[in-house]
Amino acid sequence: MVVASNMKNLIGTVACTLFLTVNGFYSSSDDVVELTPANFNREVLQSDSLWLVEFYAPWCGHCQSLTPHWKKAATALKGVVKIGAVDADQHKSLGGQYGIRGFPTIKIFGSNKNKAEDYQGARSSQAIVDSALNSLRSMVKERLEGKTSGSDQGRQSGGGRKDVVDLTDDDFDKKVLNSDDIWLVEFYAPWCGHCKNLEPVWAAAASEVKEQTKGKVKLGAVDATVHQMIASRYGIQGFPTIKVFRKGEQPEDYEGGRSKADIVARALDLYSDNAAPPELLEILNGDILKKTCEDYQLCIIAALPHILDTGAAGRNGYLEVMMKMAEKYKKKMWGWLWTEAGVQMDLEQSLGIGGFGYPAMAAINYRKMKFALLKGSFSEQGIHEFLRDLSMGRGSTATVGGGTLPNINSVEPWDGKDGELPVEDDIDLSDVELDDLGRVEL
């Protein structure tokens, strides 16, 4: 019976120990706020209150000794200073963010939540209360002197990141998985330093990608500490993590650089993988020219020889060269246009290509009203070298004549056939008399 009784007590002790290990030291009935990656940003970093936060491990003997003092201090400071606790053994990412290497570690989050201070006092309830009140006094003094930096941990809203789509557990599937668009999604934690560094870059990239892909590639962001269902579904374990989503395909990890140029380049690659080459449009009216040049970073315009000079086969050869170049440079999202020589003379003159030297080509930046001319041959190699130099910012440019796009004549589209000379009217000379010198007498 004694053995059985001792065995029963031992089992109870082990069970109690296991309960503490699994559930930590604190419960909802305590005045200590249990903190996790899901609520840390909301409770601590976005708070105007002074916080003392203990990072502990359930198996740590010193942590177990501190627990009653921590609870007593929390009760004494209730309504004055916030007292929290993080099970850093369970929430390793949160402990890692603050460089926690030993237990217990106590951090003080005052006016500037970016710079938590180490608690250096004794581990008694009285010492903890005294230190908290001293820190509170310093924080109030800073506010009085206007030195407080406040709580700035929340992500920007509005204009700074207007083109980044905030995603949640509730709308992720509808917005991302059921969309025909391509998505780059950043999973972040508000307390993550690397995430803070990425935020303005991500916002700037989102705006450029939206413009260059006409909204077909979107950049989104998920607060993985709040929307844990989505983060868990995709196995997010570090921050920031970026994943690529395409309809009907498994998500893939983004493995590019973290600069704006890197992100935009990857987004354009994804877009162009499935994008059709841009249309090659004949300039039939002013609307076609204006819309194409407004919608694209550059519009490439060719003035092709008159149909009587080349025939349909010759013209189609030039158009084929342009289509190959449009395919080659489709990632640039440029507009492509052509016109017959002499049909749009105002346009030719504004670009300095009127009257001779056909075929000719110009690239217009509508926003800057600048243009560059093809100086080499109208061939795949010549146009490639021209466009390559433009891509690299080389080559000379000039201002569009008049500083704006000229008036455009409305014309009928080419019918795809060879040209025909105009039919001359027959002249009846039967009534014309000539004198002896061969002169016409009227």
Side-chain angles (χ1 to χ4, degrees), residues 426-432:
D426 292 334
I427 301 175
D428 184 4
L429 300 177
S430 60
D431 295 334
V432 176

Side-chain angles (χ1 to χ4, degrees), residues 69 100 197 224 305 384:
H69 296 279
I100 306 303
N197 293 335
H384 167 63

Side-chain angles (χ1 to χ4, degrees), residues 2 235 244:
V2 174
V244 178

Side-chain angles (χ1 to χ4, degrees), residues 279-280 283 288-302 322 332-338 347 351 361-367 369-372 386-387 390 400 405:
E279 288 186 281
L280 176 56
I283 301 174
I288 291 176
L289 175 67
K290 188 171 186 293
K291 182 172 186 351
T292 302
C293 290
E294 281 183 345
D295 286 353
Y296 296 95
Q297 184 181 18
L298 290 179
C299 52
I300 313 300
I301 300 175
M322 291 188 71
K332 298 294 185 182
M333 263 58 84
W334 293 338
W336 294 77
L337 300 166
W338 71 277
L347 176 61
L351 301 176
M361 177 175 283
I364 300 178
N365 184 320
Y366 178 80
R367 292 166 184 79
M369 277 298 152
K370 296 282 187 181
F371 73 93
F386 171 57
L387 299 179
L390 285 179
V400 174
L405 293 179

Side-chain angles (χ1 to χ4, degrees), residues 372-425:
L373 289 176
L374 169 68
K375 301 292 180 64
S377 64
F378 198 99
S379 63
E380 290 184 39
Q381 182 63 30
I383 296 173
H384 167 63
E385 291 175 357
F386 171 57
L387 299 179
R388 180 193 62 196
D389 287 346
L390 285 179
S391 300
M392 300 175 68
R394 297 201 299 248
S396 59
T397 61
T399 301
V400 174
T404 186
L405 293 179
N407 292 327
I408 297 298
N409 298 321
S410 293
V411 297
E412 293 297 317
W414 177 45
D415 60 9
K417 300 178 181 178
D418 289 324
E420 296 181 358
L421 290 170
V423 178
E424 296 182 0
D425 294 334

Side-chain angles (χ1 to χ4, degrees), residues 190-213:
W191 42 261
C192 161
H194 293 301
C195 303
K196 295 171 189 173
N197 293 335
L198 179 62
E199 182 183 1
V201 178
W202 196 247
S207 296
E208 184 165 333
V209 168
K210 179 181 179 181
E211 178 181 359
Q212 293 204 36
T213 68

Side-chain angles (χ1 to χ4, degrees), residues 141-212:
K141 183 179 179 182
E142 288 176 3
R143 289 180 179 177
L144 188 63
E145 295 174 353
K147 296 180 181 179
T148 179
S149 59
S151 301
D152 57 356
Q153 299 299 310
R155 287 217 152 189
Q156 297 177 8
S157 59
R161 58 191 303 272
K162 61 184 176 64
D163 295 316
V164 176
V165 181
D166 289 310
L167 300 165
T168 69
D169 284 338
D170 295 331
D171 64 15
F172 189 91
D173 289 2
K174 179 180 179 181
K175 288 185 176 179
V176 179
L177 301 187
N178 297 334
S179 171
D180 292 327
D181 299 326
I182 299 167
W183 284 80
L184 277 72
V185 179
E186 174 206 5
F187 293 84
Y188 71 92
W191 42 261
C192 161
H194 293 301
C195 303
K196 295 171 189 173
N197 293 335
L198 179 62
E199 182 183 1
V201 178
W202 196 247
S207 296
E208 184 165 333
V209 168
K210 179 181 179 181
E211 178 181 359
Q212 293 204 36

Side-chain angles (χ1 to χ4, degrees), residues 105-349:
T105 294
I106 299 173
K107 295 278 187 180
I108 303 172
F109 293 82
S111 296
N112 188 349
K113 298 297 194 293
N114 282 317
K115 296 181 179 179
E117 300 175 5
D118 290 328
Y119 171 81
Q120 303 289 357
R123 302 296 172 85
S124 67
S125 57
Q126 184 62 57
I128 294 166
V129 169
D130 290 343
S131 178
L133 293 177
N134 287 335
S135 297
L136 183 62
R137 190 176 296 108
S138 297
M139 188 171 80
V140 172
K141 183 179 179 182
E142 288 176 3
R143 289 180 179 177
L144 188 63
E145 295 174 353
K147 296 180 181 179
T148 179
S149 59
S151 301
D152 57 356
Q153 299 299 310
R155 287 217 152 189
Q156 297 177 8
S157 59
R161 58 191 303 272
K162 61 184 176 64
D163 295 316
V164 176
V165 181
D166 289 310
L167 300 165
T168 69
D169 284 338
D170 295 331
D171 64 15
F172 189 91
D173 289 2
K174 179 180 179 181
K175 288 185 176 179
V176 179
L177 301 187
N178 297 334
S179 171
D180 292 327
D181 299 326
I182 299 167
W183 284 80
L184 277 72
V185 179
E186 174 206 5
F187 293 84
Y188 71 92
W191 42 261
C192 161
H194 293 301
C195 303
K196 295 171 189 173
N197 293 335
L198 179 62
E199 182 183 1
V201 178
W202 196 247
S207 296
E208 184 165 333
V209 168
K210 179 181 179 181
E211 178 181 359
Q212 293 204 36
T213 68
K214 304 297 179 289
K216 295 300 183 181
V217 179
K218 293 181 169 60
L219 270 63
V222 175
D223 183 345
T225 67
V226 174
H227 306 291
Q228 297 183 43
M229 182 181 74
I230 292 298
S232 176
R233 179 195 296 177
Y234 296 110
I236 306 303
Q237 296 181 344
F239 306 111
T241 292
I242 301 171
K243 287 192 174 286
V244 178
F245 294 85
R246 288 183 275 194
K247 190 172 185 179
E249 299 183 22
Q250 289 297 315
E252 60 187 81
D253 291 332
Y254 169 86
E255 296 179 346
R258 300 293 174 88
S259 69
K260 174 187 171 184
D262 290 330
I263 296 165
V264 171
R266 178 60 176 139
L268 295 183
D269 282 342
L270 290 165
Y271 175 70
S272 62
D273 283 346
N274 299 317
E279 288 186 281
L280 176 56
L281 302 174
E282 184 179 2
I283 301 174
L284 303 176
N285 52 59
D287 290 340
I288 291 176
L289 175 67
K290 188 171 186 293
K291 182 172 186 351
T292 302
C293 290
E294 281 183 345
D295 286 353
Y296 296 95
Q297 184 181 18
L298 290 179
C299 52
I300 313 300
I301 300 175
L304 302 182
H306 195 283
I307 191 63
L308 293 177
D309 294 329
T310 63
R315 175 167 290 181
N316 283 326
Y318 289 130
L319 294 175
E320 183 179 352
V321 169
M322 291 188 71
M323 284 303 303
K324 287 182 178 179
M325 290 297 99
E327 170 70 30
K328 186 179 185 69
Y329 284 89
K330 70 178 182 178
K331 292 182 181 179
K332 298 294 185 182
M333 263 58 84
W334 293 338
W336 294 77
L337 300 166
W338 71 277
T339 183
E340 182 177 83
V343 171
Q344 305 294 350
M345 286 303 299
D346 288 344
L347 176 61
E348 291 185 33
Q349 290 171 6

